[in-house]
Amino acid sequence: WQARNKNNYKYLDSDEEHYKAHRFDKREAGGFFEIPEKPEDQERVMKDAGETAIKLAKEAGINYDEASGKFTNFPRVTISTNNGTAHEDVAERIQAYMSLWGIDVDVQVMEWQSFTAARRTGDYAVARQGWIADYNDPRSYLDCARSTDGNDDTQLGKDSWHASH
């Protein structure tokens, strides 16, 4: 596999120094998110993330009532998951947590075959996704975000908006 793909991906080099030079470092993530080094900083980071989320929602036209701490016109969201697993519990916890913000969430529980088919075709708003690396290489995860990859259940780059931009 490595021999077939050696010209396509710079992350396949087995040299440890090459890997270290090309791996993502959380400090180089463009400031998109912060991972606190100390546990005591987690509360501050979560507060900052919440404030940023409220700001972005307001910019998108979502009303936020400061007195109640809830959104008043957030669109209803559906989370899809497969049945018979702890993922149902996770979806219900997300549903309960989002209700604290005034966001109505429906949980759609599906049997496995229907669930995977819906994810592959993009027939969902939010879906539970689990993935584990098959090998110690960033490609294990990066391939999931390539529109030409069969594991791109997120549908990144597959819709007409992405194709036209």
Side-chain angles (χ1 to χ4, degrees):
W1 182 88
Q2 282 188 320
R4 282 195 322 269
N5 292 286
K6 68 181 179 182
N7 295 325
N8 296 332
Y9 301 97
K10 60 185 170 189
Y11 297 105
L12 296 178
D13 194 311
S14 61
D15 175 52
E16 184 66 21
E17 289 307 309
H18 179 86
Y19 175 75
K20 285 180 181 176
H22 291 92
R23 72 178 174 82
F24 285 106
D25 185 292
K26 65 185 176 189
R27 291 165 299 191
E28 297 170 4
F32 186 73
F33 61 89
E34 177 186 352
I35 300 174
E37 296 290 334
K38 300 176 189 170
E40 57 268 20
D41 291 336
Q42 291 178 359
E43 187 174 327
R44 177 192 48 80
V45 170
M46 292 302 293
K47 183 177 182 291
D48 292 348
E51 289 171 357
T52 300
I54 292 168
K55 177 181 172 253
L56 292 172
K58 286 178 177 179
E59 289 174 7
I62 306 295
N63 296 326
Y64 181 75
D65 179 30
E66 300 286 342
S68 68
K70 294 184 178 187
F71 294 103
T72 59
N73 66 333
F74 204 96
R76 188 173 205 89
V77 178
T78 299
I79 298 176
S80 300
T81 188
N82 56 303
N83 63 344
T85 66
H87 300 295
E88 291 178 69
D89 294 336
V90 172
E92 289 171 2
R93 286 178 183 254
I94 292 170
Q95 180 184 45
Y97 181 74
M98 298 302 276
S99 72
L100 298 175
W101 290 81
I103 301 171
D104 293 322
V105 175
D106 295 319
V107 176
Q108 179 183 27
V109 179
M110 307 165 81
E111 63 85 25
W112 182 249
Q113 297 292 356
S114 299
F115 177 65
T116 55
R119 280 196 354 237
R120 285 195 184 107
T121 60
D123 187 20
Y124 64 89
V126 177
R128 192 254 344 140
Q129 174 74 22
W131 192 259
I132 187 166
D134 297 330
Y135 45 90
N136 188 17
D137 191 285
R139 268 210 59 207
S140 291
Y141 295 101
L142 294 172
D143 282 350
C144 293
R146 287 174 18 139
S147 62
T148 56
D149 194 278
N151 293 317
D152 178 23
D153 291 349
T154 59
Q155 308 301 308
L156 291 171
K158 290 184 178 178
D159 64 18
S160 59
W161 185 90
H162 286 97
S164 66
H165 289 81

